[in-house]
Amino acid sequence: MPRSTNPLVISRVVGDVLEPFTSCVGIRIVYEGNTEVVNCSELKPSQIIHQPRVEVGGDDLRTLYTLILVDPDAPSPGDPNMREYLHWMVTNIPATTGATYGEEVVAYENPRPIVGIHRLVFVLFRQMGRQTIYAPGWRQNFNTRDFAELYNLGSPVAAVFFNCKRENSPGGSSRRR
Amino acid sequence: MEEVWKDINLASLNDHNTSSSSTSSAAFIFQDFLARPFTINTTSDPPPPTTTSPSPSPSPSLSPSPAPPQSLTALSLGSHHRHINNRNHHFHHQHPAPPPPPPLPPTSTPKLPYPSSPLFVDTLPCSSSLPCFPTTKRFPEPSSDSSPTLDRRNKRMIKNRESAARSRARKQAYTNELQLKVDHLLEENARLKRQQQQLCEAAANQQKKKSTLYRTFTAPF
């Protein structure tokens, strides 16, 4: 198996959620308190209560993007039988703008992991044109690959992920070793 | 001698994997691998012999074999084991216990075609996907423990291993990300410094030019 240095590959985001892809559009995601999402960084549930500010790259305002946030480790990384859990979906985001300029198809639900350390993945797709994307019937067992195929979104153009675990986990840092 | 035990284990695991419709996840292989000997232990009466136990000779423990009729290959396998045990017994008393392998796996999974013993060691397919982990301490001694306890322990061990692997992956991914960021930031820093220097020079040049400017048209006097 060729060794990749891409954090998305090492953490199996490419594999569990996405096929290998080439990042070609910049994306910047900042949660409240100026905490920018860096790949594999850890954020607390209290930091991600409200939807983040999203800045999409690209150059042509006519190019539209779809952004989703999924949790592939729901309900627990050891037994992810609800993989993936869809937390947010915004479509028709014009290039160079943010998520607030798009249509929120699935409202932002703040992640609250209970067991284990969950990966939370933002995926950005480029749309062929303005299209109507419908929310799935339910959030759990969402499949990003199938979703992209269904709406002809192709390969992702950008992806960022962070880790999140339960705040104040019992017997965690409070326990003296 | 340890390699022989290892090879036998791997072969039995290989055959079980090909016969069952399993995914190729390592976790399943672990679970399966650890679960197999214990299911065999519960079905067959005698615990497999260990070479560190000094007194019991191998033959009595192997002879009360399970009632179901054994194939010739199983018998020859048993004699092969006996042979190995004898040799171990004579030459290596302090030899660390090789994992008590399921000595008669064909009896529990009769569809596995084991070649006759002389060829057994040579024709072992060693799958590259299998981890060759040390076989001694990982195997709990077959004792009078009930198998549910062993299963629970094994499951926990497997889950712990998976969790450890995920932690390692996370750690490495984070390190790589930081490295990428460092490289990126160093590059940006160098670029900005160059840009700043150029602007400074341009500004300095402009100032020099200004010192040579004087009114010519706005005030004729």
Side-chain angles (χ1 to χ4, degrees):
Chain A
M1 192 162 59
R3 292 274 181 89
S4 173
T5 53
N6 187 350
L8 289 168
V9 173
I10 299 175
S11 57
R12 303 310 304 149
V13 167
V14 166
D16 294 340
V17 182
L18 307 171
E19 293 299 303
F21 70 98
T22 323
S23 191
C24 48
V25 175
I27 188 169
R28 193 162 169 260
I29 301 176
V30 185
Y31 272 100
E32 56 203 307
N34 217 23
T35 34
E36 181 171 351
V37 174
V38 170
N39 272 333
C40 213
S41 58
E42 184 159 323
L43 298 179
K44 292 191 261 190
S46 54
Q47 296 175 285
I48 58 176
I49 296 176
H50 303 295
Q51 66 189 60
R53 198 178 77 239
V54 177
E55 293 168 19
V56 172
D59 36 28
D60 191 347
L61 269 176
R62 288 166 295 181
T63 318
L64 301 176
Y65 295 93
T66 293
L67 174 75
I68 60 171
L69 172 61
V70 292
D71 179 352
D73 297 325
S76 88
D79 180 29
N81 51 57
M82 295 208 289
R83 171 176 291 176
E84 308 140 26
Y85 191 92
L86 179 67
H87 283 277
W88 200 25
M89 187 191 298
V90 188
T91 66
N92 296 320
I93 305 172
T96 74
T97 68
T100 48
Y101 294 83
E103 294 167 35
E104 193 179 49
V105 174
V106 175
Y108 180 81
E109 184 186 293
N110 57 322
R112 275 165 305 158
I114 300 176
V115 181
I117 303 181
H118 294 219
R119 296 163 294 175
L120 288 143
V121 191
F122 287 96
V123 190
L124 189 73
F125 292 99
R126 181 187 281 130
Q127 298 171 206
M128 291 285 134
R130 179 164 290 272
Q131 56 187 116
T132 314
I133 294 181
Y134 297 101
W138 42 88
R139 289 178 184 260
Q140 61 265 30
N141 300 116
F142 180 80
N143 190 311
T144 305
R145 289 175 174 106
D146 292 347
F147 168 75
E149 195 174 313
L150 176 65
Y151 289 102
N152 205 19
L153 296 171
S155 265
V157 293
V160 194
F161 81 101
F162 65 97
N163 296 315
C164 184
K165 71 172 194 264
R166 180 177 157 177
E167 208 144 6
N168 302 324
S169 59
S173 52
S174 54
R175 178 152 56 105
R176 263 212 309 175
R177 283 173 201 259
Chain B
M1 280 308 114
E2 250 206 291
E3 312 92 69
V4 178
W5 294 124
K6 257 191 245 176
D7 287 342
I8 293 167
N9 280 327
L10 288 171
S12 70
L13 177 57
N14 262 333
D15 290 317
H16 187 79
N17 266 346
T18 52
S19 63
S20 66
S21 58
S22 64
T23 62
S24 55
S25 70
F28 187 83
I29 292 174
F30 276 136
Q31 184 164 26
D32 210 54
F33 183 57
L34 291 168
R36 275 197 83 246
F38 305 111
T39 57
I40 288 166
N41 273 339
T42 53
T43 55
S44 66
D45 304 317
T50 66
T51 54
T52 51
S53 57
S55 42
S57 66
S59 30
S61 52
L62 275 180
S63 54
S65 353
Q70 299 176 26
S71 60
L72 200 59
T73 58
L75 275 175
S76 57
L77 183 61
S79 65
H80 184 62
H81 277 248
R82 208 175 297 135
H83 179 64
I84 289 171
N85 285 339
N86 274 327
R87 286 214 291 172
N88 267 346
H89 192 64
H90 290 313
F91 299 142
H92 304 286
H93 280 274
Q94 309 94 333
H95 199 283
L104 305 164
T107 60
S108 60
T109 53
K111 52 189 169 177
L112 297 175
Y114 273 79
S116 57
S117 66
L119 301 171
F120 184 68
V121 176
D122 301 328
T123 59
L124 287 173
C126 230
S127 160
S128 58
S129 65
L130 274 175
C132 263
F133 50 84
T135 43
T136 50
K137 297 292 181 197
R138 300 280 175 91
F139 263 89
E141 294 295 320
S143 58
S144 53
D145 265 2
S146 56
S147 56
T149 320
L150 289 171
D151 283 340
R152 244 177 284 146
R153 198 190 305 169
N154 291 334
K155 278 192 191 140
R156 227 180 302 146
M157 226 180 351
I158 291 160
K159 284 206 165 170
N160 197 284
R161 284 205 194 118
E162 288 173 18
S163 173
R166 275 197 301 271
S167 285
R168 283 194 297 270
R170 242 200 316 273
K171 182 174 174 181
Q172 190 174 5
Y174 186 58
T175 311
N176 279 22
E177 175 71 22
L178 288 181
Q179 187 64 53
L180 284 171
K181 268 212 141 46
V182 163
D183 295 337
H184 185 244
L185 287 172
L186 281 173
E187 211 180 290
E188 197 180 328
N189 202 21
R191 184 175 54 85
L192 287 172
K193 277 194 177 151
R194 258 181 285 132
Q195 203 174 31
Q196 195 210 22
Q197 209 173 31
Q198 283 172 359
L199 286 172
C200 256
E201 283 173 9
N205 286 340
Q206 282 219 326
Q207 276 186 347
K208 283 186 205 151
K209 282 188 191 157
K210 276 185 186 159
S211 63
T212 63
L213 282 173
Y214 49 90
R215 288 185 298 176
T216 50
F217 298 108
T218 51
F221 53 84

